[in-house]
Every structure is written in structure tokens, then in C-alpha cells.
Amino acid sequence: MHDEFLCHVTAYGWCDGRRIGVPLGTYRAPTLALALWWLRDRALWIAERLDPQPDRGPYPPNALVPVADTVTDVPGVLRSWCADEDRQELVADELADGRLVRIAASDDTTEYELLAESVDALRMQRTLPALVVPVA
């Protein structure tokens, strides 16, 4: 069982023809449960900022506008992921087995990425090259 998890949230977009990543947060979770909680919390945080509930506001005029039906509903995708217990269990299993987990959703301008990985697995990966260096 892996004890600590490093979690990241990043938004990617295009600027001057280059793909740019903007870090939205990092958390070093001391337990698997806290890593999953943080990923869900950040996913809902993004969803609320992209698609706020109209009754929560006052919002400036024209701040909330509908998008075309062809645009992926990123807030809906993130909220659905948070509510799906089967997918949460799958993420927990992957992390517990030491594998990197990536949850991503994109609309027509931005990709939102949530990553989590075991700190122990990262440490083991760093030591592997030293273990396989040929001795001659």
C-alpha cells in the first residue's frame, strides 16, 4: 500500500501558437482517502467556476453565456466523475497499486487535467536507473 500521494491540477490552453500549462493547485496527500477527496474537491471547484449556479450570484451583465451544443460540457464531465462511485473506486485501486492517474476534460479552448501518483512509486522510479547501470 502506498502511503502518500502527490496531486496536481493544471489547465492547458494555446497562446502564440504554443500550448501553455497553468498550474491550478498541488497537494501532497498523506492518505489515499485525502488524495481522492482533494481530486474531487478540485474537480468540483473547476466545474463551479466554469458553470456557476445562477442563483449564487450577482454576476455582471453577460458574464454567463450559453455555449454551443457541440462544445464538451466540461463542468458536467467533472461533476459526473465526482459522483460516480465505480470510477472513484477504480482511481483508488490504480493509486493503491502505484500507478499514475490522469483525469482530463477539454472544451474548445482549454484542457483541464487532474493528476495523482504515489510518492513511493515516484521514489522507486528514481532509483531504477541506478539499479540497471551497466558495470564494466
Side-chain angles (χ1 to χ4, degrees):
M1 180 67 170
H2 297 267
D3 294 331
E4 283 185 288
F5 301 89
L6 194 54
C7 307
H8 305 279
V9 178
T10 308
Y12 294 95
W14 292 93
C15 182
D16 288 331
R18 295 182 304 157
R19 189 168 190 248
I20 304 294
V22 178
L24 300 178
T26 298
Y27 176 58
R28 189 172 181 142
T31 66
L32 177 59
L34 286 174
L36 292 170
W37 169 83
W38 190 83
L39 291 171
R40 284 190 306 269
D41 182 70
R42 294 295 85 195
L44 293 173
W45 179 82
I46 292 168
E48 181 60 27
R49 272 129 194 94
L50 293 175
D51 186 19
Q53 302 303 317
D55 58 343
R56 292 212 183 157
Y59 296 104
N62 301 318
L64 302 178
V65 296
V67 296
D69 290 338
T70 58
V71 175
T72 302
D73 178 15
V74 170
V77 169
L78 294 174
R79 288 180 176 121
S80 172
W81 176 78
C82 289
D84 188 325
E85 291 181 19
D86 291 336
R87 287 194 279 174
Q88 296 297 313
E89 191 170 321
L90 178 63
V91 167
D93 291 344
E94 293 292 311
L95 286 172
D97 287 341
R99 288 190 281 280
L100 171 73
V101 170
R102 179 178 185 265
I103 298 104
S106 301
D107 58 23
D108 56 345
T109 63
T110 308
E111 177 182 47
Y112 301 91
E113 175 185 76
L114 297 98
L115 287 176
E117 56 192 326
S118 162
V119 172
D120 293 335
L122 287 169
R123 287 181 184 142
M124 289 186 286
Q125 289 172 3
R126 287 188 192 128
T127 62
L128 283 179
L131 295 176
V132 295
V133 173
V135 178

